Amino acid sequence: MSTLSLILVAVPTVVLACQAGGWAARRVGQPPVIGEIAVGILLGPSLLGWLAPDVQRLLLPPAALPVTSVLGNIALLVFLFLIGLELDLPSLRANRRAVASVAAGSVLLPLTLGTALALAMYPYLAPPGVQRPPFVLFIAAALSITAFPVLARILADRGLATTRLGTFALACAAADDALAWCLLIAVTSLATAASPLDAATALVLTVALIAALATARPLVKRILERAARASDDLVTVLAVAGLLLAAWTTDRIGVHPAIGAFLFGATLPRGVLALERSAARLQHVIVPVLLPLFFVDIGLRTDLAALPAGQWGWAALVLAVAVIGKLVGAGGAARLAGCDWRWSALVGTLMNCRGITEIVVLGIGLELGVISTDLFTIMVLMAVVTTAATTPLLDRLTRGAPDLTAPAPADAPLIMLPKTPGKSR
């Protein structure tokens, strides 16, 4: 049977299964991505490959997997481009001190705890030949991630996206993600470089790329507006070509291609309607059709059944550190900024959502060889659990608090914090 024939079976199998998983997740009040990630894991050796390996080989033939992996990774680049495009950095100016405090707390405490945890794990879970610094920095950075797009979806599904809580949480998540991706750039540079000089060179070249993309924004905006007068299709082609070339550039620099796609989206000019329509088309086609192939690629490398019994203790410790780092780091920072206890607990809960962004980062780490397959499985499990816990905790904490679930007044500031009684603004 030809490779094309095998792909014609594998792709619809994955897409339909992930759609079913997303539907099931929605039915129980979870974001669809939880069901899609779970299906990707279940199609791998954790369940299907364990119970019915012949069926798995029939639905996901080994000869088709290299092609489906490439398609899934292209969809991943588009997805990260869309994440970058969704980051509304100007919104961080409102209540920027509170946003900066929460974002810093949401990153710094997980970084500190993650560093201590990684130092303890290094002798037991680090892949052979991996140096201590990149391993420790990667674990620390991975534990500081917040999934901006999944958080936005959860808040929208709960009708909280336009509330004071929703706008504040999204601003904090955007700042958190910006900091975390900066850390990831440094980690990937260090992990792929042959020497400290090579790592420094990669960092300098990445910063130069960011500066070039930011400087070119006015020119890019004029090009996109001129292309929009011809057709939206041309804008879509230019956007896709740009993100792929940016990904190629960071790959050549020595940083993962995913970072280039993200940076390209984050630095594109805002306010171009044709670009927004093109992004919506990519979101509605590439993400539901091809991104599930990335989930399955991750699932094939996640084997819960093969995780040694002695490492489940590490899994519990990773989960505990991940939850404590975000709840105390973000929630404590919100409390210090003058917010009441319920608001602070909600902020900590929302910033604990990791979702697909964490899965993407872990995939990068596994591809670079910074983390082992067992540790990858442990971290994926942590990402799924923390994301799945977000919605029920959010519902419980907002119950009986109509002031939190009511939309902000039209004339209110974009981000407006509730203060603890007795504290001055």
Side-chain angles (χ1 to χ4, degrees):
M1 191 178 293
S2 68
T3 303
L4 178 59
S5 296
L6 298 176
I7 293 171
L8 294 178
V9 172
V11 171
T13 297
V14 170
V15 172
L16 292 174
C18 286
Q19 281 295 310
W23 174 84
R26 279 192 293 266
R27 295 285 293 176
V28 296
Q30 289 287 343
V33 71
I34 285 292
E36 294 169 355
I37 293 173
V39 165
I41 294 173
L42 295 179
L43 288 175
S46 295
L47 184 65
L48 185 59
W50 176 53
L51 293 177
D54 291 338
V55 175
Q56 186 197 45
R57 283 192 293 270
L58 177 65
L59 297 177
L60 299 170
L65 295 182
V67 179
T68 58
S69 177
V70 170
L71 292 174
N73 277 280
I74 290 175
L76 172 64
L77 296 179
V78 174
F79 177 75
L80 289 173
F81 161 75
L82 294 173
I83 290 180
L85 200 60
E86 287 178 2
L87 285 181
D88 186 14
L89 297 179
S91 70
L92 305 183
R93 295 170 186 165
N95 284 103
R96 57 184 175 270
R97 288 185 180 178
V99 170
S101 297
V102 172
S106 181
V107 171
L108 292 178
L109 185 58
L111 274 176
T112 303
L113 296 178
T115 298
L117 177 63
L119 288 171
M121 289 194 301
Y122 179 76
Y124 306 99
L125 293 174
V130 172
Q131 299 298 314
R132 192 185 303 267
F135 176 83
V136 171
L137 288 174
F138 181 83
I139 297 299
L143 289 175
S144 67
I145 293 291
T146 292
F148 177 84
V150 177
L151 180 58
R153 179 62 183 268
I154 290 173
L155 291 170
D157 288 346
R158 291 296 180 275
L160 298 174
T162 58
T163 64
R164 294 181 300 166
L165 173 66
T167 55
F168 179 71
L170 287 175
C172 293
D176 182 295
D177 268 11
L179 291 172
W181 280 97
C182 289
L183 288 170
L184 190 61
I185 291 172
V187 173
T188 54
S189 300
L190 186 62
T192 57
S195 67
L197 179 60
D198 290 340
T201 302
L203 281 174
V204 170
L205 290 175
T206 304
V207 172
L209 174 63
I210 296 172
L213 290 172
T215 303
R217 288 182 79 175
L219 175 61
V220 172
K221 186 173 184 177
R222 287 196 295 271
I223 292 173
L224 292 175
E225 288 174 341
R226 181 169 298 180
R229 289 194 286 270
S231 70
D232 281 2
D233 289 344
L234 181 56
V235 175
T236 303
V237 168
L238 291 175
V240 172
L243 77 91
L244 293 177
L245 289 173
W248 175 83
T249 301
T250 52
D251 184 47
R252 297 296 297 171
I253 287 173
V255 181
H256 198 276
I259 292 174
F262 171 80
L263 292 175
F264 183 71
T267 54
L268 275 183
R270 301 304 191 261
V272 181
L273 294 179
L275 179 60
E276 295 175 5
R277 291 193 294 267
S278 296
R281 293 163 69 182
L282 293 173
Q283 176 76 39
H284 293 149
V285 176
I286 299 295
V287 173
V289 174
L290 293 183
L291 193 59
L293 298 175
F294 171 76
F295 294 143
V296 170
D297 193 38
I298 291 293
L300 290 172
R301 292 181 281 179
T302 304
D303 193 353
L304 296 173
L307 194 65
Q311 292 189 6
W312 283 99
W314 286 113
L317 188 57
V318 166
L319 180 61
V321 169
V323 172
I324 291 171
K326 286 294 186 180
L327 287 180
V328 177
R335 180 65 179 161
L336 291 175
C339 303
D340 61 38
W341 284 108
R342 187 195 293 254
W343 180 282
S344 301
L346 279 164
V347 169
T349 298
L350 292 171
M351 297 299 284
N352 195 40
C353 176
R354 287 173 170 85
I356 186 175
T357 308
E358 180 76 28
I359 303 294
V360 169
V361 170
L362 296 176
I364 292 173
L366 184 63
E367 182 180 336
L368 295 176
V370 179
I371 56 176
S372 63
T373 303
D374 286 346
L375 183 53
F376 174 79
T377 299
I378 289 172
M379 298 288 284
V380 167
L381 183 62
M382 176 274 294
V384 172
V385 171
T386 54
T387 306
T390 301
T391 299
L393 288 174
L394 177 63
D395 291 343
R396 184 172 183 82
L397 287 169
T398 55
R399 191 176 302 159
D403 56 315
L404 291 175
T405 56
D411 58 348
L414 178 63
I415 303 170
M416 186 170 59
L417 301 180
K419 295 292 181 177
T420 302
K423 289 200 175 186
S424 60
R425 273 187 176 264

